[in-house]
Amino acid sequence: MSEKKEESTFDKLFKISVAGKTDTKGKFTYLSWVYAWAELKKIAPHSSVKVYEDDQGRPYIADGDKGVFVKVGVIVNGLEHISYLPCMNFSNKAIKESDVNMMDINKAIQRATVKAIGLHGLGLYIYAGEDLPEDESGKKAAKSPVKAKTDTKVVEAKKSGNSFRNSKKPEVVSTKTAVEEEEL
């Protein structure tokens, strides 16, 4: 008799499709922290977030003209994954310490939280290709579209029009999802 192996928290989170719950800004896809947190807590209700502070108790780390970044950890079942994220302007450029405000820091903390949740599996496919090297002109190499494949249909992980403020109830796709890159 073979025993069925219990599915890991990562596997459970990785199978959840966040298609229909994302927005795009330029060429980037975003998952709202509200959706990410809700899905995480359904699977791992004792999860928590830790926002790291600098030695002066500020929720960010500053390096003058180089910019400001935040450090956020998400703890799931005793395992912490940490995400570092710069505070960025509307062009996704790092904001200098002299120009950053608390709203910029708050937004970076929320985005870093979602990325740290992604390291635990939820929506991880959104970040595929984010770390592609730049070519000589400074442009990133093209990445293949990432799709979430469900048992019944394929749902592209692109702009849905949903956001926290203006979303309608998202279409239920499937909770059994595998992710694959589209072949070229």
Side-chain angles (χ1 to χ4, degrees), residues 66-70 84-88 92-95 104 108 111:
K66 293 179 183 171
V68 172
F69 68 93
V70 298
Y84 297 85
L85 193 73
C87 293
M88 297 177 280
N92 286 335
K93 303 288 183 199
I95 302 173
D104 300 323
R111 286 194 302 266

Side-chain angles (χ1 to χ4, degrees), residues 144-147 180-184:
S144 299
V146 176
K147 293 184 178 183
E180 59 185 35
E181 269 192 51
E182 185 176 78
E183 293 183 2
L184 297 175

Side-chain angles (χ1 to χ4, degrees), residues 18-32 35 125-126 143 145-148 155-164 166-167 170-171:
V18 295
K21 294 182 180 179
T22 60
D23 280 320
T24 56
K25 179 181 151 197
K27 60 183 178 179
F28 297 102
T29 301
Y30 294 93
L31 174 63
S32 170
Y35 292 126
Y125 63 88
I126 292 172
K143 72 176 186 177
V146 176
K147 293 184 178 183
V155 179
E156 288 207 21
K158 292 191 177 181
K159 184 172 184 172
S160 68
N162 286 345
S163 74
F164 175 65
N166 66 3
S167 65
E171 176 186 340

Side-chain angles (χ1 to χ4, degrees), residues 89-159:
N89 63 18
F90 290 107
S91 301
N92 286 335
K93 303 288 183 199
I95 302 173
K96 295 178 184 179
E97 183 177 10
S98 61
D99 298 331
V100 75
N101 64 51
M102 290 310 290
M103 203 58 195
D104 300 323
I105 293 162
N106 180 60
K107 289 176 187 176
I109 288 170
Q110 300 306 352
R111 286 194 302 266
T113 300
V114 173
K115 287 185 97 167
I117 291 170
L119 293 172
H120 287 284
L122 181 69
L124 186 59
Y125 63 88
I126 292 172
Y127 304 101
E130 179 180 273
D131 54 352
L132 290 174
E134 294 180 353
D135 64 17
E136 291 150 11
S137 69
K139 294 181 181 178
K140 292 223 178 217
K143 72 176 186 177
S144 299
V146 176
K147 293 184 178 183
K149 186 175 184 178
T150 67
D151 290 341
T152 57
K153 64 181 179 178
V154 174
V155 179
E156 288 207 21
K158 292 191 177 181
K159 184 172 184 172

